[in-house]
Amino acid sequence: MVSSLQLYSQFTFKINCTTKTRSNCCLKKLGSNGIRCEQIVENQRAIKVKNGKDSLEICRVVNGLWQTSGGWGKIDRDKAVDAMLSYADNGFTTFDMADIYGPAEDLYGIFINRVRRERPPEFLEQIKGLTKWVPPPVKMTSSVVRQSIDVSRKRMDVASLDMLQFHWWDYSNPGYLDALKHLTDLKEEGKIKTVALTNFDTERLQIILENGIPVVSNQVQHSIVDMRPQQKMAELCQHTGVKLITYGTVMGGLLSEKFLDTNLSIPFAGPPLNTPSLQKYKRMVDAWGGWGLFQALLKTLNQVATKHMVSIPTVAVRYILDQPSVAGSMVGVRLGLSEHIQDCKAVFSLTLDEDDFNNIEEVTKKGKDLLRVIGDCGDEYRRA
């Protein structure tokens, strides 16, 4: 990995903050290729991510649709779309999905057509659909990229994707740069509004920016337990204006009252880990410090939540939204099976004070450094 000095030596930075609610951070690369990244915080509920002429305003609490892909319970299509409308009507107007999340893109297509029919045009303008492309390791030709993006456009029933977040499995294959250049071409054609990344590490984000590719954000795993993005990634993001969109922020539900005062070492004594996300993030807890330390964290979070008369998940999301370079945090939605609209609303009225941060960090500093255990952002997907 390159050092911080090496990482930034090719760039000059200009930061101009004029008010508390508006900040402009610009990056100019020395040489023939130039990049300008800018992020503007319009208010507490929404944020505009921007790179040069490309910009997109999203809700800071993002509806995550991984749960539609199976493993969380059977999704009824009509109930799911009704639930999506309910989230949007309550101000949660940004939806995150992927080509590999089962019917997620198709559900969005049905949903957006109902919005077109049943809501006014100004409401439709607020709706944002962020999708991901997770390609197999084939040669990234223009036709391969174009065909894949056309599939998502058709499934989501949109002329232009609001945001395309690109994932790449193997860094030893430099084809990710070819794919991103073709995606940039499609953006110029109007088929994509903004190009972004998912699960890229700091070193590769730097390389991508050096190649003049105007990404606006990187979606990464980030929670009170997993603070890796703040160790390297956020520093680069602060200097370049690239924003972070986070997932795993409530750890599939582990960061909740449901798992407070439970002992998972006793069979059937606690709530079952019966979803892919609970199983995934339980492994993260094990790598971080184990269930005992996690219980100490939950007790502290419960004290903070009780003090502010909110829930543990609300505290968990607010804590991450308050971290440097974080534009939005994902909260998974089990459409038609359960909802957490009130908890999400409370995120925007919650202000954590210095004592809250100190109390939480008093526990988290006892955990292991996951950057050393796992590696940088996204490395959990690339370990042998």
Side-chain angles (χ1 to χ4, degrees):
M1 304 294 283
V2 295
S3 68
S4 295
L5 181 61
Q6 292 172 318
L7 198 61
Y8 306 136
S9 62
Q10 302 177 64
F11 295 86
T12 58
F13 306 102
K14 178 182 178 183
I15 299 176
N16 176 30
C17 298
T18 57
T19 71
K20 290 184 179 179
T21 57
R22 181 181 178 90
S23 65
N24 300 301
C25 298
C26 306
L27 160 70
K28 183 178 180 182
K29 183 178 183 296
L30 299 179
S32 58
N33 292 325
I35 301 175
R36 177 187 174 92
C37 296
E38 178 181 45
Q39 74 267 5
I40 302 171
V41 179
E42 300 290 357
N43 53 49
Q44 193 179 32
R45 180 177 286 269
I47 189 168
K48 184 179 289 185
V49 291
K50 185 173 182 179
N51 189 329
K53 63 183 179 181
D54 307 331
S55 68
L56 191 73
E57 184 172 281
I58 62 172
C59 179
R60 296 201 71 198
V61 174
V62 180
N63 304 312
L65 300 185
W66 182 30
Q67 283 83 345
T68 67
S69 61
W72 287 264
K74 186 177 180 180
I75 296 291
D76 177 271
R77 186 192 70 177
D78 294 335
K79 289 182 179 178
V81 174
D82 286 342
M84 293 173 75
L85 279 169
S86 179
Y87 275 97
D89 286 337
N90 279 278
F92 300 100
T93 52
T94 303
F95 296 82
D96 178 89
M97 64 213 87
D99 60 337
I100 60 171
Y101 289 0
E105 290 185 333
D106 302 298
L107 289 172
Y108 184 85
I110 300 170
F111 157 74
I112 201 68
N113 270 297
R114 281 196 57 185
V115 171
R116 289 168 181 150
R117 295 194 308 269
E118 301 173 14
R119 301 293 187 273
E122 58 268 23
F123 186 89
L124 175 62
E125 292 176 2
Q126 299 176 32
I127 305 299
K128 301 297 188 299
L130 322 181
T131 195
K132 306 181 194 75
W133 181 37
V134 187
V138 298
K139 186 174 177 61
M140 291 290 106
T141 64
S142 176
S143 61
V144 165
V145 176
R146 184 178 298 273
Q147 289 169 13
S148 298
I149 298 313
D150 283 346
V151 170
S152 288
R153 291 170 57 234
K154 182 177 180 180
R155 292 179 69 188
M156 296 171 66
D157 200 7
V158 293
S160 180
L161 301 176
D162 291 321
M163 179 184 286
L164 191 285
Q165 302 165 105
F166 177 68
H167 176 88
W168 191 251
W169 293 105
D170 182 11
Y171 292 144
S172 66
N173 179 348
Y176 67 90
L177 290 173
D178 296 325
L180 283 164
K181 288 173 182 176
H182 294 315
L183 289 172
T184 302
D185 291 340
L186 291 176
K187 178 184 67 66
E188 293 300 320
E189 293 178 22
K191 293 189 174 182
I192 301 169
K193 294 176 184 175
T194 55
V195 174
L197 306 172
T198 182
N199 291 312
F200 273 77
D201 66 9
T202 309
E203 182 180 353
R204 252 54 62 160
L205 174 58
Q206 173 76 6
I207 291 170
I208 289 165
L209 293 174
E210 288 176 349
N211 276 269
I213 297 167
V215 297
V216 298
S217 64
N218 186 21
Q219 187 177 135
V220 294
Q221 183 174 292
H222 196 357
S223 69
I224 294 175
V225 166
D226 186 2
M227 295 293 290
R228 287 177 297 156
Q230 294 304 318
Q231 294 177 258
K232 294 178 66 175
M233 180 69 67
E235 184 180 1
L236 177 60
C237 288
Q238 283 184 285
H239 283 91
T240 62
V242 174
K243 283 297 211 172
L244 299 176
I245 298 175
T246 74
Y247 66 89
T249 306
V250 295
M251 303 187 73
L254 286 178
L255 286 170
S256 69
E257 286 80 2
K258 182 178 181 180
F259 288 92
L260 179 64
D261 295 324
T262 60
N263 185 352
L264 296 187
S265 66
I266 303 174
F268 309 109
L273 301 177
N274 57 357
T275 68
S277 51
L278 285 172
Q279 293 159 11
K280 172 183 179 179
Y281 295 114
K282 172 56 166 59
R283 293 192 292 271
M284 194 63 56
V285 168
D286 293 340
W288 172 69
W291 197 250
L293 182 58
F294 187 69
Q295 282 299 307
L297 175 60
L298 283 180
K299 289 176 182 177
T300 297
L301 294 176
N302 189 52
Q303 291 168 358
V304 175
T306 301
K307 167 184 167 182
H308 293 282
M309 294 185 290
V310 297
S311 70
I312 289 175
T314 297
V315 174
V317 174
R318 183 74 260 170
Y319 185 91
I320 296 302
L321 285 178
D322 288 341
Q323 300 300 314
S325 296
V326 173
S329 289
M330 206 84 59
V331 178
V333 289
R334 300 179 68 181
L335 300 173
L337 299 175
S338 63
E339 62 92 1
H340 37 250
I341 289 174
Q342 296 309 312
D343 280 349
C344 289
K345 281 185 174 181
V347 170
F348 297 118
S349 59
L350 174 61
T351 300
L352 298 176
D353 59 36
E354 186 176 356
D355 286 342
D356 298 329
F357 281 99
N358 289 340
N359 291 334
I360 291 170
E361 288 160 12
E362 185 67 26
V363 181
T364 58
K365 70 181 182 181
K366 298 176 183 178
K368 295 178 182 177
D369 180 355
L370 291 182
L371 189 70
R372 293 180 178 273
V373 175
I374 299 172
D376 200 6
C377 299
D379 282 356
E380 60 269 32
Y381 296 102
R382 299 177 181 89
R383 297 176 69 185

